[in-house]
Amino acid sequence: MIPTLDDIRAAARLIDGVVLKTPFLPAPRLSELTGAEVFVKYENLQATSSFKERGALVKLSSLSAAERDRGVIAMSAGNHAQAVAYHAQRLKIPATIVMPRHTPFVKVAATRGFGAEVVLEGDTLADSQTAVERIMAETGATLVHPYDDPKVIAGQGTIGLEILAENVDLDAVIVPVGGGGLISGIAIAVKTLAPDVAMIGVETEFYPSMWAALRDLPAKCGGDSLAEGIAVKNCGALALEVVRRHVDDVLLVPERAIEQAVAEYLARQKTMAEGAGAAGLAALLANPDRFRGRRVGLILAGGNIDPRLAASIMVRELAREQRIVAVRVFINDRPGVLADIARIIGEQGGNILEVLHHRTMLTVPAKGAIVDVTFETRGADHAVEIIGALSDGDYRVEQLDPPAHGA
């Protein structure tokens, strides 16, 4: 059942000219940030913005004529759904996709846009399994599993062939892990052709399914993860067997590191990464000593992130860097005070984004007022200068968390 290198090479020939051979490029600004020499495989440039097209196409192409007539079904948090729907539409195969109820709207809409019937059921992929089994029994549809299928694993392994073809002489390849299909395929290719390259998997701390399985421990999974694409409670049985043979380690990263990784891809590489897609960079950010000075390949596995969420993440990063600052100023309620506050901030080089003026709150003196001001700075030192100038102007100032919509 485990795919071989020959299976992966056959998959590469099958998808050639249909699925994009994505660029694998050096990322000097990420190298500067992490201390590793970083190269990025941009799978977010695929037609459906994720690597999932590879495995989906290989599996769909293997179906008999009768199986194609009965259609296919898949369960997915989004990227596998879009990949199956996209290539099923191309191959004129009816497709039904079962997605968790809370899947980001951008992924649901994209899947429907590719012509698939979408069924929203359950809170997680595991919960959606019941609907999948019911529909398969009713229609005879063939399951296109998102990760625990040898054809799917072989398709994902084509990424490993493409990376090695670049002759970069890597020390390690870091791969996001949900069910394990992606890292399984890549590991088979890489470890067969370049056994000295370390294969490292990454999971969010909220869903350590593969990490726990490798240690024969029960996986304590749960929580609202930014990396919903790898928020999988149970890794695949076939994938686990491959990971035991070919993967050197699986790391767990905190949500904070995933959030920062999404922001850094956008700010430094000018490219969009969803939470799961950014997990490899999160591993570098969370483990700088382990990878410092090493040549590391990252798989930017997908870019299907809700635009509102991406905007919120960027504002939060600016707030952490104190490039967006919010303060509460306690004032006497008299003419000219707002203008004076604006003057002080402007003279210090700050740019006001938002002003909220409170008079009627019970915590405000009868003859007083509170002004909440959100403004841009050049960084933490500049923020201190502006707050100091307000204090020197005889204003009592408290720093606040800036509003999420402050930018």
Side-chain angles (χ1 to χ4, degrees):
M1 290 286 290
I2 293 178
T4 65
L5 180 63
D6 286 342
D7 294 326
I8 295 173
R9 284 173 167 160
R13 291 191 293 272
L14 188 151
I15 68 174
D16 187 32
V18 181
V19 174
L20 181 67
K21 288 184 178 178
T22 53
F24 183 60
L25 301 173
R29 297 192 68 189
L30 295 183
S31 299
E32 179 184 9
L33 173 69
T34 63
E37 187 175 355
V38 179
F39 297 78
V40 177
K41 182 70 167 165
Y42 289 93
E43 286 297 294
N44 62 335
L45 297 180
Q46 296 290 356
T48 61
S49 299
S50 94
F51 74 94
K52 290 285 191 176
E53 287 189 36
R54 298 170 182 266
L57 178 56
V58 174
K59 177 64 176 180
L60 292 172
S61 299
S62 73
L63 300 180
S64 67
E67 288 172 325
R68 293 187 182 206
D69 288 342
R70 289 193 298 269
V72 295
I73 188 168
M75 57 181 181
S76 170
N79 289 339
H80 181 63
Q82 292 180 57
V84 172
Y86 176 70
H87 286 290
Q89 185 181 59
R90 286 185 51 257
L91 298 171
K92 296 180 172 55
I93 300 173
T96 300
I97 311 296
V98 181
M99 309 177 83
R101 283 191 295 263
H102 305 296
T103 300
F105 175 75
V106 64
K107 296 184 179 183
V108 176
T111 304
R112 285 180 172 145
F114 292 130
E117 178 183 352
V118 175
V119 176
L120 298 176
E121 189 164 324
D123 292 327
T124 67
L125 284 180
D127 297 334
S128 301
Q129 180 68 37
T130 301
V132 170
E133 293 171 356
R134 183 186 70 246
I135 295 169
M136 287 176 65
E138 293 171 352
T139 66
T142 298
L143 175 66
V144 182
H145 199 281
Y147 47 83
D148 211 29
D149 182 290
K151 297 292 185 183
V152 170
I153 290 173
Q156 320 307 27
T158 60
I159 294 174
L161 295 182
E162 292 175 16
I163 287 174
L164 293 177
E166 299 291 337
N167 296 313
V168 172
D169 192 22
L170 295 170
D171 295 306
V173 177
I174 305 180
V175 185
V177 176
L182 176 62
I183 195 169
S184 298
I186 294 175
I188 292 168
V190 170
K191 284 297 190 179
T192 303
L193 296 172
D196 292 336
V197 177
M199 284 298 311
I200 309 294
V202 189
E203 293 182 305
T204 167
E205 289 179 344
F206 284 176
Y207 290 85
S209 56
M210 184 68 75
W211 181 92
L214 291 172
R215 292 159 176 80
D216 296 319
L217 298 172
K220 297 180 180 179
C221 297
D224 190 9
S225 176
L226 176 62
E228 73 276 349
I230 56 173
V232 177
K233 289 184 177 181
N234 300 295
C235 60
L238 182 58
L240 175 59
E241 189 174 347
V242 175
V243 169
R244 287 191 189 278
R245 295 185 189 185
H246 295 300
V247 173
D248 297 280
D249 200 2
V250 174
L251 305 178
L252 302 181
V253 294
E255 288 293 309
R256 170 69 187 92
I258 295 172
E259 185 176 328
Q260 183 186 355
V262 171
E264 297 294 355
Y265 266 125
L266 187 55
R268 293 175 184 263
Q269 296 304 111
K270 312 307 179 191
T271 193
M272 191 70 77
E274 61 189 90
L281 178 56
L284 292 185
L285 296 172
N287 302 272
D289 293 340
R290 177 165 182 165
F291 298 103
R292 184 172 290 112
R294 304 183 72 190
R295 306 187 94 190
V296 177
L298 302 181
I299 314 300
L300 202 176
N304 288 309
I305 189 170
D306 188 298
R308 293 178 303 167
L309 180 57
S312 177
I313 288 170
M314 292 306 298
V315 171
R316 286 161 63 90
E317 285 302 309
L318 291 172
R320 289 189 178 101
E321 298 170 3
Q322 294 202 55
R323 291 170 59 194
I324 292 180
V325 175
V327 296
R328 173 161 289 176
V329 185
F330 296 82
I331 66 172
N332 292 320
D333 192 10
R334 55 181 174 77
V337 175
L338 284 178
D340 188 51
I341 291 172
R343 176 189 60 79
I344 293 171
I345 293 173
E347 287 179 352
Q348 297 297 315
N351 181 43
I352 294 175
L353 299 174
E354 184 175 69
V355 177
L356 297 174
H357 195 190
H358 307 287
R359 285 190 176 88
T360 59
M361 296 169 58
L362 293 178
T363 54
V364 179
K367 292 186 177 181
I370 290 175
V371 178
D372 293 343
V373 187
T374 304
F375 53 89
E376 291 179 296
T377 78
R378 295 187 294 272
D381 291 342
H382 189 207
V384 170
E385 292 174 6
I386 295 174
I387 293 172
L390 288 169
S391 298
D392 290 343
D394 292 330
Y395 294 110
R396 181 160 70 91
V397 182
E398 294 179 359
Q399 190 163 347
L400 307 171
D401 287 334
H405 59 280

